[in-house]
Amino acid sequence: MNELTLSSLLGILRKSIVYIIIAAIVFAIAGYLYCEFIATPTYQAKIALLATNSSGFANQDSEDIGTDSSELSAARSLINTYIDIFSTREFFGMIKEKTGLDYSDNTLKGMVNISRRSDTSLFIDIVVTSANKKHAIIVADAIYEYSDDYLVSLLPAASVKGVEKSGSRAVQNYPNTSSAIFLAAVLGGVLTFVVFVIINIMDKTIKGEKDFSANYDIPILGNIPNFKVAAREEKK
């Protein structure tokens, strides 16, 4: 078994560089074909809600409204509850009714990701993901429009204001063709190099005096000449 050193790895890289490049190109083409003809694209529509616990500052858009207000402190303490309310199946049942889309409540819930922007922020970020671009926009806009009414129906002192609407836009988030091509090319090159390294490790043939000395602690008495090569040289 051959010992792996930095110099041996560089030698393997030099010998296999053409194959590595070819494999990278083939994998890159495969990645492109997958993205263009096989993968099912998905789209994301994003909105944001500003959460409060009363109507006193619901019209303010800034995240950094201040930290001395008792209303702000109360809103911060309740924002996780707001998110829990917007994550219920009943909320998505209402969204289904408003949109008229033929999805189950649980399917709609699985399409939506709701998160707090930061521990000190009053913003709730909502991302709707769907294979249907139009449906992603419809669901996002419905949440934007009806979330406050639903929240107030459960917590009369609570309030959310939509501050970032999808604007009838949904961006394709999968597949990312350029990233897929790059990663596929890297994968192809790395796998090819690994295969050549494994072949080199498993190759036990002696390729010369240096190779013999490196693998065996036996004195070398001399070299056996290659008579065929010598004969060709004499003919020249």
Side-chain angles (χ1 to χ4, degrees), residues 8-163:
S8 65
L9 289 175
L10 291 176
I12 296 170
L13 179 61
R14 286 194 297 270
K15 293 177 182 177
S16 61
I17 188 65
V18 174
Y19 298 98
I20 290 174
I21 293 173
I22 293 173
I25 293 173
V26 170
F27 272 65
I29 293 173
Y32 172 79
L33 294 176
Y34 172 80
C35 292
E36 292 298 316
F37 302 106
I38 300 176
T40 301
T42 59
Y43 303 87
Q44 288 186 339
K46 301 179 181 181
I47 64 170
L49 306 175
L50 177 65
T52 75
N53 72 320
S54 71
S55 60
F57 56 96
N59 293 323
Q60 301 183 47
D61 290 346
S62 172
E63 285 189 63
D64 190 17
I65 300 174
T67 57
D68 296 332
S69 169
S70 59
E71 290 182 347
L72 281 172
S73 299
R76 287 194 178 95
S77 65
L78 288 172
I79 193 167
N80 288 331
T81 300
Y82 296 174
I83 292 174
D84 289 340
I85 289 173
F86 293 142
S87 300
T88 60
R89 192 176 67 177
E90 288 75 13
F91 174 73
F92 289 102
M94 182 270 294
I95 295 298
K96 175 184 176 181
E97 180 182 344
K98 296 295 184 181
T99 60
L101 295 176
D102 189 21
Y103 291 111
S104 68
D105 302 349
N106 286 332
T107 299
L108 275 176
K109 183 177 179 180
M111 293 166 55
V112 180
N113 180 66
I114 306 173
S115 61
R116 187 172 186 170
R117 186 168 295 182
S118 70
D119 291 338
T120 58
S121 174
L122 295 176
F123 277 75
I124 299 174
D125 291 316
I126 299 176
V127 180
V128 182
T129 305
S130 174
N132 188 309
K133 185 177 182 179
K134 184 178 179 181
H135 288 182
I137 296 171
I138 291 173
V139 173
D141 288 348
I143 295 174
Y144 184 93
E145 183 175 352
Y146 298 110
S147 56
D148 184 56
D149 292 340
Y150 184 82
L151 181 64
V152 171
S153 69
L154 298 177
L155 296 175
S159 178
V160 289
K161 178 190 176 185
V163 291

